[in-house]
Amino acid sequence: MSVKETYYIGEQSLTFPKDVYLISSASVVGKKEGEGPLRDLFDMICEDDKFGEDTWEMAESTLQKEALSLAMGKADVKPEDIRYLFAGDLLGQNIATSFGLMDYEIPLFGLYGACSTAGESLSLAAMCVGAGYARMAAALTSSHFASAEKQFRFPLEYANQRPVSATWTVTGSGAFLLSSKKGKARITGVTTGKIVDMGIKDSMNMGAAMAPAAADLIAQNLEDFNRTPSDYDKIITGDLGYVGQEILINLLQKKKIDITSVHEDCGILIYDKEKQGTGSGGSGCGCSAVTLSAHYLPKLEDGTLKRILFVPTGALLSTVSFNEGQNVPGIAHGVVIEYVGKEA
Amino acid sequence: MSVKETYYIGEQSLTFPKDVYLISSASVVGKKEGEGPLRDLFDMICEDDKFGEDTWEMAESTLQKEALSLAMGKADVKPEDIRYLFAGDLLGQNIATSFGLMDYEIPLFGLYGACSTAGESLSLAAMCVGAGYARMAAALTSSHFASAEKQFRFPLEYANQRPVSATWTVTGSGAFLLSSKKGKARITGVTTGKIVDMGIKDSMNMGAAMAPAAADLIAQNLEDFNRTPSDYDKIITGDLGYVGQEILINLLQKKKIDITSVHEDCGILIYDKEKQGTGSGGSGCGCSAVTLSAHYLPKLEDGTLKRILFVPTGALLSTVSFNEGQNVPGIAHGVVIEYVGKEA
C-alpha cells in the first residue's frame, strides 16, 4: 500500500490506495431489451417479465438475485467471498434490493441515487476495495418497467399515453464484482456528484432534469483529473436519452468543452427508437448497469476501449414531491474505468 | 498511515487506516420530542412541526438542513470544508434528503437503510475519512412523524387508532461531522449488518421485526472484536422499543450473551411512555441520530462513557411490499465510539 496520506483530487474526485479491478459482471434483462440492438450481448434475457413471480416488485427482486448469481458464477465466487453489497433500486424503501438480496446473507449498504445508483454503487464498492476494507465487494442495481410505472406514473392497466420526451424504464439488473485481485478492467478513479436543480418540473422529461447534473459532473471530472474529452475513448451517460443528450452537449459547449466525438448514452443504445417505440430512450438504474456490463466491459477487456468515463444520471423525485409541486433535481456519479492490458 | 494491507476483522467488521473523530454534531427535534425526557439536551426544539413549510415533507427537509447547519456552526465549518455527505431518510426516493441538502452543494451519497440509516451513514462516512478519501465528511439522517405516517400508514387526518406494539416516529434530524482531525470522540470500528428475516408480517410491530437483526449484529460485533458485553459501557439500539428490547435480550441469552446490564434503546429513552402515549417507544432514523448527538456524545466527550456500541436498527418494508403480503425483514448497522481523553 502507498504511504500517501490522502487520495482526493480536485473538488470532487478520488483515486485509491490500492488497485481496484472489475473481475466479473453480469446482465439480466426483460423481453423488450432482449429485442433491442444489444440483444446478443446480454447474459440472460427472460421472455416472462414477471420472471416467474406473482408481482412486478418480486420480479425485480429476482432480476437482482439472478444478476448477482451469474456474476458470481462467472468468477467462481461464493457469497461468503463477497464482504459487502452496495445495492439499490428505484422503488420506495428499496424493496427490490431488500427482497432480492436477502438470501445471500452478505453485509449490505442500501443506496438510493435514482438512476445514478449504478455509478454510486460502483463508486462506493471501489472506495471500499481500494481502502483495503474488503478483498471483494459487489455493486448491484435494477429497474423494472412495470414496477417503475406503478411507482412513478400509472399502473400499466390504465393504458396511459406517454409524451415523446418520456423515457422507457429498462427491465434489467447489472451486477459487478470488484476486487483487489487483477481482473478484466481497472477502476482508477471516481467523481461524486452534487444535486443540481435547474428548475425542471416535468417528470415526463427526465433527460432535461438530469442533463445539467451530468454536465457538471463531466466538467468537474475533466478539471479534477486535468484531462480533456479526448483523454477518454468514451464518455458514457446513463439514461439522458435523445432529449437529454442534446441539452448535455449544449451545456458543455457553453463551458468550452466539446464531447460530441466521444459521447454515448446507454439510454440511446439499448433500444431501437424507430422499431421499439421507446420515446426518448431507455432509463432506470438497470439501463446503465446492463449496458456497461454487456456492451462496454468486453471492449475494455479486449483493449478496444482504453479508458472510459461512465456517468449514470439520476432524477430525484417521488410522486409525493412531484404532486407537491417540487422541481425534479438531478445527480450524476462518475466512474473512470481503464483497460488492464497484458502487463505482468 | 499504517502500512497494513487490509482493515477487515472477523466476518463483518472493520477498523480504519487513519484515526476517525466525531468533531461536531447537532440535533433538531419537534414539539413532542421537546416535551420528553431528553428535552434539555437537544440543540433545537421547534414548536411548529411544519418548521414554517407548506408540507410535512418539506418540513423534514428543513430539519436536515437545520441540523447540518448547526453542526457546521458549532465546529466553525463551511459547506466547502465537507467533502461528502452520507445521508438518508425514510421517505420513498429519499426526498427529505434530496430537497433538504441540495443548497449545500456538497457531493452526496444517498443511502437507504430504513431506521438503521444513522448507523449506515456513520459507517460509510467513517470508512471514507479513515481511508484518507476526505478530511471531513458528514453523516445525516431524519424522520418526521407526519411524513412517515402519510408514507407508511395513514394520513394523520384519518385519526386511525394504533396498537400498543406500534412505535411513534420521531420528528428529528441528527447531523455528525467526521474528521481525521482530533475531536470529541473517536470512531474505532464498524460492524455492517445483513438482512435478517424472521417471518414477521406485522408492520405495526417493528420492534419484533428488527430485534433479530440487532441480536445478530451485536453477537457478530462481540465475536469480530473478541469482546464481551462488559467491554462496552453501553450497547445502544436505535428504536426497538419496549417490545423489541425484550425480544433482543432473549435472543442474545439463547446465544449465552447477556447484555441486560449495558443495553439501552434510543426509542425507549426519547419519550415518557406513560405521560406521552407513545406506545412501544420512538422510531425512525431521526430517533437514534438525535439521541446519539444529544444524550450520548456529551457523555463520551467528558469520559462518563468510555466505549459504546451504537446499533441503529431498520425494518425493511414499504406499503407496496406490505400490501403484497411480504414479511418485514430487519437490518442493523453497528458503530463503535470511544472516549478520546486528554492524551497528547
Side-chain angles (χ1 to χ4, degrees), chain A residues 107-316:
Chain A
L108 169 73
F109 288 109
L111 309 178
Y112 186 78
C115 308
S116 76
T117 310
E120 184 185 1
S121 60
L122 283 169
S123 296
L124 286 168
M127 288 160 69
C128 184
V129 169
Y133 293 148
R135 262 188 247 280
M136 196 180 300
L140 192 62
T141 53
S142 68
S143 52
H144 191 298
F145 178 73
S147 63
E149 287 293 309
K150 177 168 149 187
Q151 174 85 130
F152 292 102
R153 298 179 184 118
F154 298 98
L156 296 185
E157 292 78 0
Y158 288 17
N160 270 63
Q161 290 192 323
R162 301 157 60 85
V164 289
S165 64
T167 48
W168 189 278
T169 306
V170 165
T171 299
S173 174
F176 302 88
L177 298 184
L178 285 71
S179 171
S180 50
K181 205 182 73 179
K182 195 169 161 183
K184 294 174 184 297
R186 196 175 146 213
I187 298 183
T188 56
V190 295
T191 304
T192 303
K194 306 169 176 180
I195 301 175
V196 178
D197 181 7
M198 298 292 277
I200 301 289
K201 295 256 184 208
D202 182 359
S203 72
M204 288 289 189
N205 191 352
M206 294 200 295
M210 299 187 291
D216 262 31
L217 195 287
I218 292 166
Q220 192 66 52
N221 175 277
L222 296 173
E223 186 185 318
D224 289 351
F225 287 97
N226 193 24
R227 290 178 184 155
T228 65
S230 62
D231 289 321
Y232 292 108
D233 293 333
K234 298 284 177 200
I235 293 177
I236 301 151
T237 47
D239 53 357
L240 297 183
Y242 294 94
V243 174
Q245 181 182 45
E246 196 182 327
I247 300 171
L248 171 69
I249 286 170
N250 287 338
L251 286 171
L252 284 172
Q253 271 168 350
K254 285 185 190 156
K255 301 185 190 205
K256 313 276 182 225
I257 297 169
D258 182 1
I259 62 163
T260 44
S261 64
V262 294
H263 181 254
E264 288 183 356
D265 182 74
C266 300
I268 292 176
L269 286 177
I270 199 164
Y271 296 123
D272 184 320
K273 186 188 178 182
E274 305 306 326
K275 291 188 193 155
Q276 297 192 282
T278 43
S280 181
S283 64
C285 27
C287 177
S288 57
V290 300
T291 306
L292 176 65
S293 174
H295 179 68
Y296 290 111
L297 273 188
K299 291 183 198 293
L300 279 158
E301 195 180 354
D302 71 14
T304 312
L305 297 173
K306 293 288 192 294
R307 182 194 282 157
I308 66 168
L309 174 58
F310 176 62
V311 188
T313 41
L316 300 168

Side-chain angles (χ1 to χ4, degrees), chain A residues 57 93 110 120 127 133 324, chain B residues 57 90 110 120 127 133 324:
Chain A
E57 291 75 19
Q93 291 79 41
E120 184 185 1
M127 288 160 69
Y133 293 148
E324 289 176 356
Chain B
E57 291 75 20
L90 298 179
E120 184 184 1
M127 288 161 69
Y133 293 148
E324 289 176 355

